[in-house]
Structures are given as structure tokens and as C-alpha cells.
Amino acid sequence: MFVVSSDFYSGLSANGKAKVINRVMRFILDKEFVGHDMEVTMEMKALISLAAVELTFGFESFLIPYLHTIHVSPDIFYSRLAKSHVKGLTFETGRMYLSWKSVQEGMDDKTDGLHLALHEMAHALKIDTVKGSPTKERFPFYLNTWMRFAKQVMVKEQQSGFLRAYAWVNLHEFLAVCLENFIERPKEFYKAEPTLFAHTCYLMNQFPLEPANRELNLHAQRALSKHTGVQFPRAKQQDYPHHNW
């Protein structure tokens, strides 16, 4: 199966693997894939979709509905908006553009915290929250809290140096880089930035330190609170208005 090479998938229980496969197929059917000077094969669609499914694994609503079209080019491409060649872009129009070569490179190296498909899907998730119709998931209601803490981190020096320098471009890129590392190398993330990791666990409703089910249950929340000091909100404190980025 196409997802066996993914550490995320390989570490899951049988039920978790079935959940991933089902969601990947549903994500493929929900999106339009457009190839530029290339054919977008089913395997390519599946691997790109897997990135979205990994990010939204803790959510009931996982399709990122505001994202409707994914454009794929063989290599880096020129962007008139950026006035340079780029690897990927995601727009508020619901369109994503990816360099397939860069997507592959991000998947091949599982230790660098650099994963283009995850990065752009993180942007798409944020855009869906702001521009679309956010459901009552953890992400939209906790985004304000996560953002406030992220700003505190960003005004300091790069602390442990764990996140690459691109994270400090702006808050949008900081979120995307954090989520790349959250999925690709969670143990290292927890060791280097435990408080930021705890907030990200709650934001994504996932606990990747227990890869078989990734469930952020009460036991996991208490463990994170004990080791990081982060106090998560009670259910009645959940306010769903999202930040106007």
C-alpha cells in the first residue's frame, strides 16, 4: 500500500491504519488534481492527500473543504506573486501549487523537519479556518491561544535552534514549520521545545508520543501539563471564534 513507507502510518494500530486509508481515499475524491507538464498519478494523489490526513488525524472533519484544487508541477516553478521560483504556494482562493520533486524530497528525509506537502497543508488548514466555515473542532477554537504563545516564542531568539530560520518569517510560516516538525519528528520537538509542543498537541488534538493511537486523552494531557506547566482549558471554556489573520 502507498502509505506503508510513512512512519506515521507504520506506527498506527490496525484501526488507525484503516482510518488513514479511508480518509486518504475520501480526500482524493474531494479534490481536483491538476498536472502541469506531467500526469498526476493515483499514487501521487495519495501521498499528497496523506499529508492532509496526518495533520487532521485528531479531527472528525478532515477534508479541509475550502481547499478545492491542487496543482502539481515536476519541479520548482516561477511565481509572479513572489517574483521568484518557489517549491509550493497555497492561496486564499482555495488553490494549492506543489513541486512534486520537492514533495518527494520532503518525504524521503524523515529527520530534517522539512516536508513541503505538510507545510502547504498547514497553510490550507489555517485558510480553511479563517475563510471557510470552521467546524467545532479543536483547531479553530484553540488557534488564538496557540498564536499568543507562538508570538512570545517569536520575539525571543530562536531558543534551541530546533525550528529552521524560515519559521521566523511570519506567524503563518511559524505555524506551518511547527506542524511539519510535529508530524515528522515529534520526539525531537518535545525535547527541544516542550511547551510549544504541548500547545501544538492540544491545537491538533493529537499526542504523537503514543504513535499507536495518537489520542490526546486525559492521561496524556495531565502528563504534558505536569512536564511543561501548560494548563489546557476545560470543555466549558472552549470559545470557538477564530482569529482574523
Side-chain angles (χ1 to χ4, degrees), residues 206-242:
Q206 289 192 50
F207 188 54
L209 300 184
E210 292 183 358
N213 57 46
R214 305 182 73 89
E215 182 183 358
L216 186 65
N217 53 31
L218 186 58
H219 174 75
Q221 289 186 42
R222 287 173 175 170
L224 285 171
S225 294
K226 179 179 179 181
H227 289 95
T228 66
V230 174
Q231 297 299 313
F232 301 115
R234 298 175 182 176
K236 291 184 179 180
Q237 295 175 315
Q238 298 178 359
D239 54 340
Y240 288 96
H242 55 279

PDB file of all heavy atoms in Angstrom, residues 206-242:
ATOM      1  N   GLN A 206      -3.845  15.763  19.028  1.00  0.00           N
ATOM      2  CA  GLN A 206      -3.034  14.571  18.803  1.00  0.00           C
ATOM      3  C   GLN A 206      -1.935  14.489  19.854  1.00  0.00           C
ATOM      4  O   GLN A 206      -1.443  15.515  20.337  1.00  0.00           O
ATOM      5  CB  GLN A 206      -2.355  14.602  17.424  1.00  0.00           C
ATOM      6  CG  GLN A 206      -3.248  14.412  16.238  1.00  0.00           C
ATOM      7  CD  GLN A 206      -2.429  14.177  14.969  1.00  0.00           C
ATOM      8  OE1 GLN A 206      -1.535  13.336  14.922  1.00  0.00           O
ATOM      9  NE2 GLN A 206      -2.742  14.934  13.928  1.00  0.00           N
ATOM     10  N   PHE A 207      -1.528  13.256  20.165  1.00  0.00           N
ATOM     11  CA  PHE A 207      -0.398  13.026  21.063  1.00  0.00           C
ATOM     12  C   PHE A 207       0.556  12.059  20.361  1.00  0.00           C
ATOM     13  O   PHE A 207       0.501  10.848  20.574  1.00  0.00           O
ATOM     14  CB  PHE A 207      -0.872  12.449  22.394  1.00  0.00           C
ATOM     15  CG  PHE A 207       0.201  12.368  23.444  1.00  0.00           C
ATOM     16  CD1 PHE A 207       0.933  13.479  23.792  1.00  0.00           C
ATOM     17  CD2 PHE A 207       0.483  11.158  24.068  1.00  0.00           C
ATOM     18  CE1 PHE A 207       1.925  13.416  24.768  1.00  0.00           C
ATOM     19  CE2 PHE A 207       1.469  11.077  25.049  1.00  0.00           C
ATOM     20  CZ  PHE A 207       2.188  12.209  25.390  1.00  0.00           C
ATOM     21  N   PRO A 208       1.430  12.576  19.508  1.00  0.00           N
ATOM     22  CA  PRO A 208       2.274  11.706  18.682  1.00  0.00           C
ATOM     23  C   PRO A 208       3.318  10.913  19.450  1.00  0.00           C
ATOM     24  O   PRO A 208       3.958  10.033  18.865  1.00  0.00           O
ATOM     25  CB  PRO A 208       2.935  12.695  17.703  1.00  0.00           C
ATOM     26  CG  PRO A 208       2.865  14.012  18.379  1.00  0.00           C
ATOM     27  CD  PRO A 208       1.612  13.996  19.183  1.00  0.00           C
ATOM     28  N   LEU A 209       3.502  11.186  20.735  1.00  0.00           N
ATOM     29  CA  LEU A 209       4.441  10.395  21.527  1.00  0.00           C
ATOM     30  C   LEU A 209       3.883   9.006  21.824  1.00  0.00           C
ATOM     31  O   LEU A 209       4.612   8.139  22.310  1.00  0.00           O
ATOM     32  CB  LEU A 209       4.794  11.117  22.830  1.00  0.00           C
ATOM     33  CG  LEU A 209       5.450  12.497  22.663  1.00  0.00           C
ATOM     34  CD1 LEU A 209       5.838  13.065  24.028  1.00  0.00           C
ATOM     35  CD2 LEU A 209       6.670  12.435  21.743  1.00  0.00           C
ATOM     36  N   GLU A 210       2.603   8.817  21.564  1.00  0.00           N
ATOM     37  CA  GLU A 210       1.990   7.490  21.622  1.00  0.00           C
ATOM     38  C   GLU A 210       1.478   7.178  20.216  1.00  0.00           C
ATOM     39  O   GLU A 210       0.302   7.359  19.904  1.00  0.00           O
ATOM     40  CB  GLU A 210       0.849   7.457  22.646  1.00  0.00           C
ATOM     41  CG  GLU A 210       1.336   7.606  24.086  1.00  0.00           C
ATOM     42  CD  GLU A 210       0.214   7.496  25.107  1.00  0.00           C
ATOM     43  OE1 GLU A 210      -0.956   7.338  24.689  1.00  0.00           O
ATOM     44  OE2 GLU A 210       0.510   7.585  26.303  1.00  0.00           O
ATOM     45  N   PRO A 211       2.363   6.728  19.328  1.00  0.00           N
ATOM     46  CA  PRO A 211       2.046   6.644  17.897  1.00  0.00           C
ATOM     47  C   PRO A 211       0.997   5.611  17.511  1.00  0.00           C
ATOM     48  O   PRO A 211       0.448   5.686  16.408  1.00  0.00           O
ATOM     49  CB  PRO A 211       3.400   6.305  17.266  1.00  0.00           C
ATOM     50  CG  PRO A 211       4.173   5.641  18.357  1.00  0.00           C
ATOM     51  CD  PRO A 211       3.754   6.334  19.621  1.00  0.00           C
ATOM     52  N   ALA A 212       0.699   4.657  18.381  1.00  0.00           N
ATOM     53  CA  ALA A 212      -0.262   3.616  18.005  1.00  0.00           C
ATOM     54  C   ALA A 212      -1.675   4.162  17.847  1.00  0.00           C
ATOM     55  O   ALA A 212      -2.437   3.717  16.984  1.00  0.00           O
ATOM     56  CB  ALA A 212      -0.253   2.484  19.028  1.00  0.00           C
ATOM     57  N   ASN A 213      -2.030   5.139  18.686  1.00  0.00           N
ATOM     58  CA  ASN A 213      -3.383   5.711  18.563  1.00  0.00           C
ATOM     59  C   ASN A 213      -3.379   7.240  18.498  1.00  0.00           C
ATOM     60  O   ASN A 213      -4.355   7.829  18.065  1.00  0.00           O
ATOM     61  CB  ASN A 213      -4.270   5.253  19.727  1.00  0.00           C
ATOM     62  CG  ASN A 213      -3.699   5.613  21.081  1.00  0.00           C
ATOM     63  OD1 ASN A 213      -3.254   6.732  21.305  1.00  0.00           O
ATOM     64  ND2 ASN A 213      -3.695   4.655  21.999  1.00  0.00           N
ATOM     65  N   ARG A 214      -2.292   7.863  18.955  1.00  0.00           N
ATOM     66  CA  ARG A 214      -2.110   9.316  18.885  1.00  0.00           C
ATOM     67  C   ARG A 214      -3.221  10.077  19.613  1.00  0.00           C
ATOM     68  O   ARG A 214      -3.456  11.254  19.344  1.00  0.00           O
ATOM     69  CB  ARG A 214      -2.022   9.793  17.423  1.00  0.00           C
ATOM     70  CG  ARG A 214      -0.955   9.105  16.618  1.00  0.00           C
ATOM     71  CD  ARG A 214      -0.881   9.632  15.207  1.00  0.00           C
ATOM     72  NE  ARG A 214      -0.281  10.967  15.178  1.00  0.00           N
ATOM     73  CZ  ARG A 214       1.019  11.205  15.059  1.00  0.00           C
ATOM     74  NH1 ARG A 214       1.869  10.193  14.979  1.00  0.00           N
ATOM     75  NH2 ARG A 214       1.482  12.431  15.006  1.00  0.00           N
ATOM     76  N   GLU A 215      -3.880   9.436  20.542  1.00  0.00           N
ATOM     77  CA  GLU A 215      -5.011  10.057  21.219  1.00  0.00           C
ATOM     78  C   GLU A 215      -4.546  10.988  22.341  1.00  0.00           C
ATOM     79  O   GLU A 215      -3.822  10.560  23.247  1.00  0.00           O
ATOM     80  CB  GLU A 215      -5.945   8.997  21.791  1.00  0.00           C
ATOM     81  CG  GLU A 215      -7.180   9.589  22.463  1.00  0.00           C
ATOM     82  CD  GLU A 215      -8.062   8.527  23.082  1.00  0.00           C
ATOM     83  OE1 GLU A 215      -7.738   7.326  22.960  1.00  0.00           O
ATOM     84  OE2 GLU A 215      -9.084   8.896  23.695  1.00  0.00           O
ATOM     85  N   LEU A 216      -4.981  12.226  22.288  1.00  0.00           N
ATOM     86  CA  LEU A 216      -4.681  13.164  23.360  1.00  0.00           C
ATOM     87  C   LEU A 216      -5.757  13.015  24.439  1.00  0.00           C
ATOM     88  O   LEU A 216      -6.635  13.860  24.598  1.00  0.00           O
ATOM     89  CB  LEU A 216      -4.643  14.602  22.837  1.00  0.00           C
ATOM     90  CG  LEU A 216      -4.191  15.661  23.850  1.00  0.00           C
ATOM     91  CD1 LEU A 216      -2.744  15.451  24.249  1.00  0.00           C
ATOM     92  CD2 LEU A 216      -4.387  17.063  23.294  1.00  0.00           C
ATOM     93  N   ASN A 217      -5.678  11.908  25.168  1.00  0.00           N
ATOM     94  CA  ASN A 217      -6.669  11.639  26.210  1.00  0.00           C
ATOM     95  C   ASN A 217      -6.306  12.394  27.487  1.00  0.00           C
ATOM     96  O   ASN A 217      -5.306  13.132  27.541  1.00  0.00           O
ATOM     97  CB  ASN A 217      -6.788  10.143  26.464  1.00  0.00           C
ATOM     98  CG  ASN A 217      -5.445   9.491  26.763  1.00  0.00           C
ATOM     99  OD1 ASN A 217      -4.550  10.129  27.327  1.00  0.00           O
ATOM    100  ND2 ASN A 217      -5.288   8.229  26.388  1.00  0.00           N
ATOM    101  N   LEU A 218      -7.107  12.215  28.508  1.00  0.00           N
ATOM    102  CA  LEU A 218      -6.895  12.939  29.756  1.00  0.00           C
ATOM    103  C   LEU A 218      -5.545  12.601  30.375  1.00  0.00           C
ATOM    104  O   LEU A 218      -4.855  13.474  30.916  1.00  0.00           O
ATOM    105  CB  LEU A 218      -8.020  12.622  30.745  1.00  0.00           C
ATOM    106  CG  LEU A 218      -8.018  13.414  32.063  1.00  0.00           C
ATOM    107  CD1 LEU A 218      -8.089  14.917  31.785  1.00  0.00           C
ATOM    108  CD2 LEU A 218      -9.194  12.977  32.939  1.00  0.00           C
ATOM    109  N   HIS A 219      -5.150  11.337  30.291  1.00  0.00           N
ATOM    110  CA  HIS A 219      -3.851  10.922  30.830  1.00  0.00           C
ATOM    111  C   HIS A 219      -2.712  11.651  30.124  1.00  0.00           C
ATOM    112  O   HIS A 219      -1.775  12.139  30.777  1.00  0.00           O
ATOM    113  CB  HIS A 219      -3.689   9.412  30.671  1.00  0.00           C
ATOM    114  CG  HIS A 219      -2.326   8.904  31.054  1.00  0.00           C
ATOM    115  ND1 HIS A 219      -1.928   8.781  32.377  1.00  0.00           N
ATOM    116  CD2 HIS A 219      -1.255   8.527  30.291  1.00  0.00           C
ATOM    117  CE1 HIS A 219      -0.695   8.325  32.404  1.00  0.00           C
ATOM    118  NE2 HIS A 219      -0.264   8.173  31.163  1.00  0.00           N
ATOM    119  N   ALA A 220      -2.783  11.755  28.799  1.00  0.00           N
ATOM    120  CA  ALA A 220      -1.747  12.442  28.034  1.00  0.00           C
ATOM    121  C   ALA A 220      -1.731  13.930  28.362  1.00  0.00           C
ATOM    122  O   ALA A 220      -0.654  14.537  28.493  1.00  0.00           O
ATOM    123  CB  ALA A 220      -1.973  12.226  26.539  1.00  0.00           C
ATOM    124  N   GLN A 221      -2.902  14.530  28.505  1.00  0.00           N
ATOM    125  CA  GLN A 221      -2.962  15.951  28.854  1.00  0.00           C
ATOM    126  C   GLN A 221      -2.329  16.211  30.207  1.00  0.00           C
ATOM    127  O   GLN A 221      -1.586  17.182  30.391  1.00  0.00           O
ATOM    128  CB  GLN A 221      -4.414  16.425  28.844  1.00  0.00           C
ATOM    129  CG  GLN A 221      -5.032  16.519  27.460  1.00  0.00           C
ATOM    130  CD  GLN A 221      -6.425  17.125  27.498  1.00  0.00           C
ATOM    131  OE1 GLN A 221      -6.676  18.088  28.215  1.00  0.00           O
ATOM    132  NE2 GLN A 221      -7.330  16.572  26.719  1.00  0.00           N
ATOM    133  N   ARG A 222      -2.622  15.340  31.167  1.00  0.00           N
ATOM    134  CA  ARG A 222      -2.050  15.516  32.501  1.00  0.00           C
ATOM    135  C   ARG A 222      -0.543  15.362  32.481  1.00  0.00           C
ATOM    136  O   ARG A 222       0.180  16.094  33.172  1.00  0.00           O
ATOM    137  CB  ARG A 222      -2.692  14.513  33.461  1.00  0.00           C
ATOM    138  CG  ARG A 222      -4.134  14.848  33.840  1.00  0.00           C
ATOM    139  CD  ARG A 222      -4.771  13.752  34.655  1.00  0.00           C
ATOM    140  NE  ARG A 222      -6.113  14.124  35.103  1.00  0.00           N
ATOM    141  CZ  ARG A 222      -6.965  13.290  35.673  1.00  0.00           C
ATOM    142  NH1 ARG A 222      -6.621  12.000  35.864  1.00  0.00           N
ATOM    143  NH2 ARG A 222      -8.167  13.706  36.061  1.00  0.00           N
ATOM    144  N   ALA A 223      -0.056  14.417  31.680  1.00  0.00           N
ATOM    145  CA  ALA A 223       1.385  14.220  31.572  1.00  0.00           C
ATOM    146  C   ALA A 223       2.060  15.448  30.968  1.00  0.00           C
ATOM    147  O   ALA A 223       3.110  15.903  31.444  1.00  0.00           O
ATOM    148  CB  ALA A 223       1.674  12.980  30.730  1.00  0.00           C
ATOM    149  N   LEU A 224       1.457  16.002  29.925  1.00  0.00           N
ATOM    150  CA  LEU A 224       2.012  17.206  29.306  1.00  0.00           C
ATOM    151  C   LEU A 224       1.980  18.382  30.276  1.00  0.00           C
ATOM    152  O   LEU A 224       2.946  19.146  30.372  1.00  0.00           O
ATOM    153  CB  LEU A 224       1.224  17.553  28.038  1.00  0.00           C
ATOM    154  CG  LEU A 224       1.480  16.680  26.810  1.00  0.00           C
ATOM    155  CD1 LEU A 224       0.485  16.999  25.712  1.00  0.00           C
ATOM    156  CD2 LEU A 224       2.906  16.866  26.293  1.00  0.00           C
ATOM    157  N   SER A 225       0.876  18.536  30.990  1.00  0.00           N
ATOM    158  CA  SER A 225       0.769  19.633  31.966  1.00  0.00           C
ATOM    159  C   SER A 225       1.814  19.501  33.057  1.00  0.00           C
ATOM    160  O   SER A 225       2.429  20.489  33.481  1.00  0.00           O
ATOM    161  CB  SER A 225      -0.635  19.659  32.575  1.00  0.00           C
ATOM    162  OG  SER A 225      -1.610  19.980  31.605  1.00  0.00           O
ATOM    163  N   LYS A 226       2.025  18.289  33.528  1.00  0.00           N
ATOM    164  CA  LYS A 226       2.993  18.041  34.603  1.00  0.00           C
ATOM    165  C   LYS A 226       4.410  18.401  34.170  1.00  0.00           C
ATOM    166  O   LYS A 226       5.177  18.994  34.937  1.00  0.00           O
ATOM    167  CB  LYS A 226       2.928  16.583  35.031  1.00  0.00           C
ATOM    168  CG  LYS A 226       3.912  16.222  36.142  1.00  0.00           C
ATOM    169  CD  LYS A 226       3.783  14.760  36.525  1.00  0.00           C
ATOM    170  CE  LYS A 226       4.795  14.394  37.618  1.00  0.00           C
ATOM    171  NZ  LYS A 226       4.689  12.944  37.997  1.00  0.00           N
ATOM    172  N   HIS A 227       4.768  18.080  32.944  1.00  0.00           N
ATOM    173  CA  HIS A 227       6.136  18.272  32.492  1.00  0.00           C
ATOM    174  C   HIS A 227       6.387  19.633  31.849  1.00  0.00           C
ATOM    175  O   HIS A 227       7.545  20.033  31.694  1.00  0.00           O
ATOM    176  CB  HIS A 227       6.510  17.163  31.506  1.00  0.00           C
ATOM    177  CG  HIS A 227       6.676  15.827  32.139  1.00  0.00           C
ATOM    178  ND1 HIS A 227       5.670  14.882  32.200  1.00  0.00           N
ATOM    179  CD2 HIS A 227       7.738  15.274  32.786  1.00  0.00           C
ATOM    180  CE1 HIS A 227       6.101  13.802  32.832  1.00  0.00           C
ATOM    181  NE2 HIS A 227       7.352  14.013  33.206  1.00  0.00           N
ATOM    182  N   THR A 228       5.322  20.347  31.473  1.00  0.00           N
ATOM    183  CA  THR A 228       5.522  21.629  30.791  1.00  0.00           C
ATOM    184  C   THR A 228       4.886  22.804  31.522  1.00  0.00           C
ATOM    185  O   THR A 228       5.214  23.959  31.235  1.00  0.00           O
ATOM    186  CB  THR A 228       4.943  21.588  29.366  1.00  0.00           C
ATOM    187  OG1 THR A 228       3.512  21.446  29.436  1.00  0.00           O
ATOM    188  CG2 THR A 228       5.533  20.425  28.579  1.00  0.00           C
ATOM    189  N   GLY A 229       3.952  22.533  32.422  1.00  0.00           N
ATOM    190  CA  GLY A 229       3.251  23.609  33.106  1.00  0.00           C
ATOM    191  C   GLY A 229       2.082  24.182  32.322  1.00  0.00           C
ATOM    192  O   GLY A 229       1.393  25.088  32.807  1.00  0.00           O
ATOM    193  N   VAL A 230       1.837  23.686  31.127  1.00  0.00           N
ATOM    194  CA  VAL A 230       0.728  24.179  30.312  1.00  0.00           C
ATOM    195  C   VAL A 230      -0.592  23.696  30.906  1.00  0.00           C
ATOM    196  O   VAL A 230      -0.767  22.507  31.176  1.00  0.00           O
ATOM    197  CB  VAL A 230       0.851  23.689  28.856  1.00  0.00           C
ATOM    198  CG1 VAL A 230      -0.392  24.078  28.046  1.00  0.00           C
ATOM    199  CG2 VAL A 230       2.104  24.258  28.210  1.00  0.00           C
ATOM    200  N   GLN A 231      -1.512  24.619  31.106  1.00  0.00           N
ATOM    201  CA  GLN A 231      -2.834  24.287  31.619  1.00  0.00           C
ATOM    202  C   GLN A 231      -3.836  24.379  30.478  1.00  0.00           C
ATOM    203  O   GLN A 231      -4.087  25.447  29.931  1.00  0.00           O
ATOM    204  CB  GLN A 231      -3.223  25.247  32.755  1.00  0.00           C
ATOM    205  CG  GLN A 231      -2.313  25.151  33.972  1.00  0.00           C
ATOM    206  CD  GLN A 231      -2.328  23.762  34.599  1.00  0.00           C
ATOM    207  OE1 GLN A 231      -3.400  23.175  34.811  1.00  0.00           O
ATOM    208  NE2 GLN A 231      -1.148  23.225  34.894  1.00  0.00           N
ATOM    209  N   PHE A 232      -4.400  23.251  30.095  1.00  0.00           N
ATOM    210  CA  PHE A 232      -5.342  23.221  28.992  1.00  0.00           C
ATOM    211  C   PHE A 232      -6.731  23.628  29.468  1.00  0.00           C
ATOM    212  O   PHE A 232      -7.102  23.375  30.624  1.00  0.00           O
ATOM    213  CB  PHE A 232      -5.387  21.820  28.386  1.00  0.00           C
ATOM    214  CG  PHE A 232      -4.058  21.344  27.881  1.00  0.00           C
ATOM    215  CD1 PHE A 232      -3.420  20.268  28.464  1.00  0.00           C
ATOM    216  CD2 PHE A 232      -3.437  21.995  26.827  1.00  0.00           C
ATOM    217  CE1 PHE A 232      -2.185  19.833  28.001  1.00  0.00           C
ATOM    218  CE2 PHE A 232      -2.207  21.567  26.364  1.00  0.00           C
ATOM    219  CZ  PHE A 232      -1.589  20.482  26.950  1.00  0.00           C
ATOM    220  N   PRO A 233      -7.524  24.250  28.608  1.00  0.00           N
ATOM    221  CA  PRO A 233      -8.862  24.701  29.018  1.00  0.00           C
ATOM    222  C   PRO A 233      -9.806  23.541  29.259  1.00  0.00           C
ATOM    223  O   PRO A 233      -9.678  22.474  28.658  1.00  0.00           O
ATOM    224  CB  PRO A 233      -9.327  25.539  27.818  1.00  0.00           C
ATOM    225  CG  PRO A 233      -8.560  25.002  26.669  1.00  0.00           C
ATOM    226  CD  PRO A 233      -7.228  24.586  27.218  1.00  0.00           C
ATOM    227  N   ARG A 234     -10.759  23.776  30.160  1.00  0.00           N
ATOM    228  CA  ARG A 234     -11.823  22.801  30.350  1.00  0.00           C
ATOM    229  C   ARG A 234     -12.811  22.908  29.202  1.00  0.00           C
ATOM    230  O   ARG A 234     -12.839  23.892  28.470  1.00  0.00           O
ATOM    231  CB  ARG A 234     -12.538  23.065  31.681  1.00  0.00           C
ATOM    232  CG  ARG A 234     -11.635  22.936  32.895  1.00  0.00           C
ATOM    233  CD  ARG A 234     -12.366  23.329  34.163  1.00  0.00           C
ATOM    234  NE  ARG A 234     -11.496  23.262  35.338  1.00  0.00           N
ATOM    235  CZ  ARG A 234     -11.861  23.634  36.558  1.00  0.00           C
ATOM    236  NH1 ARG A 234     -13.092  24.124  36.746  1.00  0.00           N
ATOM    237  NH2 ARG A 234     -11.019  23.541  37.558  1.00  0.00           N
ATOM    238  N   ALA A 235     -13.614  21.878  29.059  1.00  0.00           N
ATOM    239  CA  ALA A 235     -14.539  21.839  27.922  1.00  0.00           C
ATOM    240  C   ALA A 235     -15.435  23.070  27.862  1.00  0.00           C
ATOM    241  O   ALA A 235     -15.687  23.621  26.795  1.00  0.00           O
ATOM    242  CB  ALA A 235     -15.388  20.573  28.000  1.00  0.00           C
ATOM    243  N   LYS A 236     -15.924  23.560  29.001  1.00  0.00           N
ATOM    244  CA  LYS A 236     -16.844  24.694  29.003  1.00  0.00           C
ATOM    245  C   LYS A 236     -16.133  26.007  28.700  1.00  0.00           C
ATOM    246  O   LYS A 236     -16.787  27.028  28.481  1.00  0.00           O
ATOM    247  CB  LYS A 236     -17.557  24.779  30.350  1.00  0.00           C
ATOM    248  CG  LYS A 236     -18.534  23.629  30.589  1.00  0.00           C
ATOM    249  CD  LYS A 236     -19.278  23.802  31.895  1.00  0.00           C
ATOM    250  CE  LYS A 236     -20.273  22.662  32.118  1.00  0.00           C
ATOM    251  NZ  LYS A 236     -21.014  22.798  33.389  1.00  0.00           N
ATOM    252  N   GLN A 237     -14.800  25.991  28.713  1.00  0.00           N
ATOM    253  CA  GLN A 237     -14.045  27.202  28.408  1.00  0.00           C
ATOM    254  C   GLN A 237     -13.750  27.332  26.922  1.00  0.00           C
ATOM    255  O   GLN A 237     -13.110  28.274  26.490  1.00  0.00           O
ATOM    256  CB  GLN A 237     -12.724  27.201  29.184  1.00  0.00           C
ATOM    257  CG  GLN A 237     -12.897  27.278  30.693  1.00  0.00           C
ATOM    258  CD  GLN A 237     -11.564  27.145  31.414  1.00  0.00           C
ATOM    259  OE1 GLN A 237     -10.745  26.293  31.104  1.00  0.00           O
ATOM    260  NE2 GLN A 237     -11.338  28.011  32.393  1.00  0.00           N
ATOM    261  N   GLN A 238     -14.222  26.394  26.122  1.00  0.00           N
ATOM    262  CA  GLN A 238     -13.922  26.403  24.704  1.00  0.00           C
ATOM    263  C   GLN A 238     -14.762  27.457  23.986  1.00  0.00           C
ATOM    264  O   GLN A 238     -15.973  27.337  23.888  1.00  0.00           O
ATOM    265  CB  GLN A 238     -14.186  25.018  24.098  1.00  0.00           C
ATOM    266  CG  GLN A 238     -13.297  23.936  24.702  1.00  0.00           C
ATOM    267  CD  GLN A 238     -13.598  22.565  24.136  1.00  0.00           C
ATOM    268  OE1 GLN A 238     -14.478  22.418  23.301  1.00  0.00           O
ATOM    269  NE2 GLN A 238     -12.872  21.554  24.583  1.00  0.00           N
ATOM    270  N   ASP A 239     -14.086  28.495  23.496  1.00  0.00           N
ATOM    271  CA  ASP A 239     -14.794  29.524  22.736  1.00  0.00           C
ATOM    272  C   ASP A 239     -14.361  29.399  21.281  1.00  0.00           C
ATOM    273  O   ASP A 239     -13.198  29.449  20.962  1.00  0.00           O
ATOM    274  CB  ASP A 239     -14.487  30.922  23.282  1.00  0.00           C
ATOM    275  CG  ASP A 239     -13.005  31.215  23.348  1.00  0.00           C
ATOM    276  OD1 ASP A 239     -12.214  30.247  23.340  1.00  0.00           O
ATOM    277  OD2 ASP A 239     -12.641  32.394  23.381  1.00  0.00           O
ATOM    278  N   TYR A 240     -15.299  29.245  20.403  1.00  0.00           N
ATOM    279  CA  TYR A 240     -14.984  28.877  19.034  1.00  0.00           C
ATOM    280  C   TYR A 240     -14.647  30.016  18.085  1.00  0.00           C
ATOM    281  O   TYR A 240     -14.188  29.753  16.991  1.00  0.00           O
ATOM    282  CB  TYR A 240     -16.121  28.030  18.447  1.00  0.00           C
ATOM    283  CG  TYR A 240     -16.133  26.652  19.050  1.00  0.00           C
ATOM    284  CD1 TYR A 240     -16.949  26.340  20.114  1.00  0.00           C
ATOM    285  CD2 TYR A 240     -15.274  25.689  18.553  1.00  0.00           C
ATOM    286  CE1 TYR A 240     -16.925  25.078  20.673  1.00  0.00           C
ATOM    287  CE2 TYR A 240     -15.239  24.411  19.107  1.00  0.00           C
ATOM    288  CZ  TYR A 240     -16.069  24.119  20.160  1.00  0.00           C
ATOM    289  OH  TYR A 240     -16.043  22.870  20.719  1.00  0.00           O
ATOM    290  N   PRO A 241     -14.867  31.283  18.423  1.00  0.00           N
ATOM    291  CA  PRO A 241     -14.473  32.330  17.472  1.00  0.00           C
ATOM    292  C   PRO A 241     -13.000  32.214  17.119  1.00  0.00           C
ATOM    293  O   PRO A 241     -12.161  32.002  17.986  1.00  0.00           O
ATOM    294  CB  PRO A 241     -14.767  33.627  18.247  1.00  0.00           C
ATOM    295  CG  PRO A 241     -15.849  33.268  19.184  1.00  0.00           C
ATOM    296  CD  PRO A 241     -15.558  31.845  19.585  1.00  0.00           C
ATOM    297  N   HIS A 242     -12.687  32.361  15.850  1.00  0.00           N
ATOM    298  CA  HIS A 242     -11.303  32.200  15.394  1.00  0.00           C
ATOM    299  C   HIS A 242     -10.699  33.567  15.077  1.00  0.00           C
ATOM    300  O   HIS A 242     -11.391  34.532  14.846  1.00  0.00           O
ATOM    301  CB  HIS A 242     -11.227  31.269  14.188  1.00  0.00           C
ATOM    302  CG  HIS A 242     -12.106  31.695  13.046  1.00  0.00           C
ATOM    303  ND1 HIS A 242     -13.445  31.420  13.003  1.00  0.00           N
ATOM    304  CD2 HIS A 242     -11.809  32.384  11.930  1.00  0.00           C
ATOM    305  CE1 HIS A 242     -13.951  31.920  11.890  1.00  0.00           C
ATOM    306  NE2 HIS A 242     -12.987  32.506  11.229  1.00  0.00           N
TER     307      HIS A 242
END
